[in-house]
Amino acid sequence: MKWYWYIVCAVLIVVGIFSSIELVEMFNVASKEYGTAITIETKNNYDEIAKYDFGTIGFESDDYINFSNVTTFAPIEFDGKDKDYILLFNDQPAVNTVVTNGKVVGDVNLVFYGLEGEKVSKAELHFVVEYFASQTKVTTTITNENDSVAYLETYMGINGAILKVVERSAL
């Protein structure tokens, strides 16, 4: 063999080694996060006052039509007289929010769709957050229409159930 064949073989071996290293790095599985998630609080300049993580809400019923849950949490200071608050359930804003001194009430409507894109059920959650000196009481109610409680429980099994009370900040 001529001497230049040795050089060509050496170059091919070096290129093969570098290509193998790059392929390993390219196909290496790694969990990475790029950027940051923009939450509704940061986007709208809201201040989070309280966060209630239920995991899943365990509803109880006497008639299998009206379901409710009452959960207590640690007390926090709340000023419903001079400040404006809203409720967020899994980052979805509540509608018909009413704020009084010591209480926030709001409704969250979740729509569930089938595999064909058709609406199969709607869960209308009603939240009442009451602030007392010794505790905070969160009452959640729902009326079971078209198996809405079953769809809601499946939704919470996947997405969880986090209720936030946020203050609208003055810009």
Side-chain angles (χ1 to χ4, degrees):
M1 237 161 88
K2 303 261 184 203
W3 63 272
Y4 52 87
W5 289 112
Y6 290 111
I7 294 175
V8 170
C9 288
V11 169
L12 286 176
I13 290 172
V14 170
V15 169
I17 290 172
F18 284 115
S19 297
S20 298
I21 292 171
E22 288 299 317
L23 281 174
V24 168
E25 288 180 9
M26 183 185 310
F27 292 112
N28 189 11
V29 177
S31 177
K32 297 180 182 177
E33 180 179 321
Y34 297 98
T36 58
I38 298 175
T39 62
I40 192 168
E41 294 94 24
T42 56
K43 183 177 181 182
N44 293 316
N45 197 27
Y46 294 155
D47 293 327
E48 182 179 302
I49 301 302
K51 179 178 179 179
Y52 307 110
D53 190 351
F54 296 96
T56 58
I57 300 172
F59 289 105
E60 297 177 1
S61 176
D62 293 331
D63 57 4
Y64 297 105
I65 295 172
N66 299 307
F67 288 80
S68 66
N69 174 281
V70 177
T71 308
T72 58
F73 296 94
I76 63 166
E77 288 194 29
F78 179 79
D79 182 14
K81 184 178 178 185
D82 295 329
K83 297 180 181 178
D84 189 21
Y85 297 93
I86 61 171
L87 294 175
L88 300 173
F89 180 71
N90 288 352
D91 293 328
Q92 180 177 342
V95 295
N96 304 327
T97 304
V98 177
V99 180
T100 59
N101 197 14
K103 184 191 281 188
V104 180
V105 178
D107 301 320
V108 174
N109 299 318
L110 299 172
V111 180
F112 303 105
Y113 296 95
L115 296 175
E116 304 292 324
E118 75 280 4
K119 178 182 166 184
V120 292
S121 186
K122 179 179 181 181
E124 297 177 357
L125 292 161
H126 180 72
F127 291 102
V128 178
V129 183
E130 296 174 291
Y131 297 96
F132 300 108
S134 62
Q135 67 182 357
T136 299
K137 184 169 86 169
V138 179
T139 305
T140 308
T141 56
I142 183 172
T143 302
N144 191 20
E145 296 177 9
N146 295 331
D147 295 325
S148 60
V149 173
Y151 283 103
L152 178 63
E153 287 176 350
T154 303
Y155 168 83
M156 290 186 297
I158 297 168
N159 299 307
I162 298 174
L163 180 67
K164 294 179 187 176
V165 179
V166 296
E167 177 188 348
R168 294 185 202 209
S169 299
L171 297 176

